[in-house]
Amino acid sequence: MQGGRSITTLSEHACFGGVQGFYQHDSDETGTTMKFGVFVPPQAKLKPVPVLFFLAGLTCSEETFAIKAGAQRHAAEHGLMIVTPDTSPRDTGVEGADANWDFGSAAGFYLDATETPWRTNWRMGSYVTRELRRIVFGHFEVREDRVGLFGHSMGGHGALTLALNNPGLYQSVSAFAPIAAPMQCPWGVKAFTGYLGDDKNAWARHDATQLIKAGARVPPLLIDQGLADKFLAEQLHPGLFEAACLAAGQPLTLRRHDGHDHGYYFIATFMADHLAHHARHLLAD
């Protein structure tokens, strides 16, 4: 580790020749203690490596992906570091933060809230794109010019929108079952109303489909979607995003899979493909 703002090691575990670790730090963005995980591949012992940030979905934490996705073997083969932030600030003391599974704690939606009482702590957009990025760069052997972003469900939404809103920040992007048109679904309407208020223009800045229509672009996208996903019809709307990308000329590979649901068995099944997708972009000369 190279130094920088202090972090505390919670645990570290030997894993596929590398190390899966969990850490915490005091966050300026959220005003809370934030936890995150990092898988360091064996190649990082010799040289800086590309880094992938994975954004998890509703109810998840910094541990969920590391435990369930089976990503470390593939990341070790490619020489990719994987960083997993928590999905929201915790223990904020904000009234109602723990009242709903799809809003508040573990449901930060990877944006900066503007409405009281959420705006003080719920700053996950800036946390992921600025603060956590700086901490990882300061403490781990990474290539700062080779950074990818991917996620699942709410985190898939985050991966798409953070990349679209920050051109050039990420050199590769992908998603599993993302909330692809949040202005058109109950999860998105609830989150946007609570965090952003009633201004639909503000909502559109955090809706991947609307961002594509408005001219935002990212590197070629890979999205996987299970057709047995119980949230597909009401919450996810990948078809709306697909149509927007087609009309705009945004490169997109959207793969639909019979029999697969919304969970981590689905994610683990196609994890090798996603890490290969990122490796093609992040390891290219």
Side-chain angles (χ1 to χ4, degrees):
M1 293 185 183
Q2 303 169 341
R5 187 177 177 87
S6 175
I7 64 174
T8 299
T9 300
L10 300 177
S11 66
E12 292 184 326
H13 315 272
C15 186
F16 293 105
V19 177
Q20 176 64 58
F22 296 97
Y23 310 92
Q24 70 180 23
H25 70 102
D26 294 331
S27 169
D28 293 330
E29 288 291 351
T30 70
T32 65
T33 297
M34 294 294 292
K35 296 179 180 180
F36 64 99
V38 181
F39 173 69
V40 179
Q43 293 86 342
K45 298 172 186 176
L46 303 176
K47 61 181 181 180
V49 297
V51 57
L52 278 172
F53 288 78
F54 180 85
L55 308 182
L58 294 164
T59 77
C60 293
S61 74
E62 75 287 348
E63 293 183 312
T64 310
F65 177 87
I67 294 170
K68 293 184 174 183
Q72 292 93 340
R73 178 191 294 274
H74 308 296
E77 291 172 355
H78 290 293
L80 298 174
M81 187 177 296
I82 301 180
V83 178
T84 55
D86 202 353
T87 50
S88 80
R90 309 273 182 166
D91 302 318
T92 61
V94 172
E95 185 176 357
D98 299 318
N100 298 281
W101 69 273
D102 57 355
F103 183 82
S105 295
F109 271 81
Y110 303 103
L111 51 76
D112 291 351
T114 58
E115 294 297 296
T116 304
W118 311 102
R119 64 185 182 186
T120 299
N121 307 112
W122 267 256
R123 296 184 50 79
M124 292 300 294
S126 291
Y127 176 72
V128 170
T129 59
R130 297 206 299 253
E131 186 174 25
L132 182 59
R133 186 182 175 101
R134 288 195 301 268
I135 286 172
V136 170
F137 287 178
H139 287 270
F140 297 90
E141 294 292 338
V142 300
R143 287 197 57 175
E144 298 183 15
D145 62 335
R146 299 294 175 92
V147 183
L149 185 64
F150 65 145
H152 168 234
S153 192
M154 175 186 72
H157 143 78
L160 295 176
T161 58
L162 292 181
L164 287 163
N165 278 315
N166 294 277
L169 199 63
Y170 301 101
Q171 286 70 59
S172 62
V173 187
S174 73
F176 296 91
I179 304 172
M183 293 179 71
Q184 307 300 319
C185 78
W187 281 342
V189 170
K190 182 175 183 176
F192 289 175
T193 301
Y195 293 138
L196 303 174
D198 296 326
D199 182 0
K200 298 295 175 55
N201 290 325
W203 294 18
R205 291 193 289 273
H206 300 281
D207 183 305
T209 298
Q210 296 303 315
L211 287 166
I212 290 290
K213 291 180 178 179
R217 299 291 182 267
V218 288
L221 291 167
L222 171 64
I223 294 178
D224 279 299
Q225 175 63 59
L227 294 179
D229 188 327
K230 66 181 180 180
F231 301 115
L232 175 57
E234 184 178 28
Q235 303 284 10
L236 304 180
H237 299 302
L240 296 179
F241 183 71
E242 182 181 39
C245 288
L246 181 62
Q250 164 64 48
L252 166 66
T253 300
L254 173 57
R255 308 190 304 182
R256 296 172 170 89
H257 305 282
D258 289 333
H260 283 278
D261 61 18
H262 196 67
Y264 270 82
Y265 296 117
F266 157 63
I267 293 172
T269 299
F270 300 105
M271 181 53 58
D273 294 347
H274 279 252
L275 292 192
H277 166 82
H278 289 279
R280 283 193 296 273
H281 291 277
L282 299 180
L283 296 173
D285 293 331

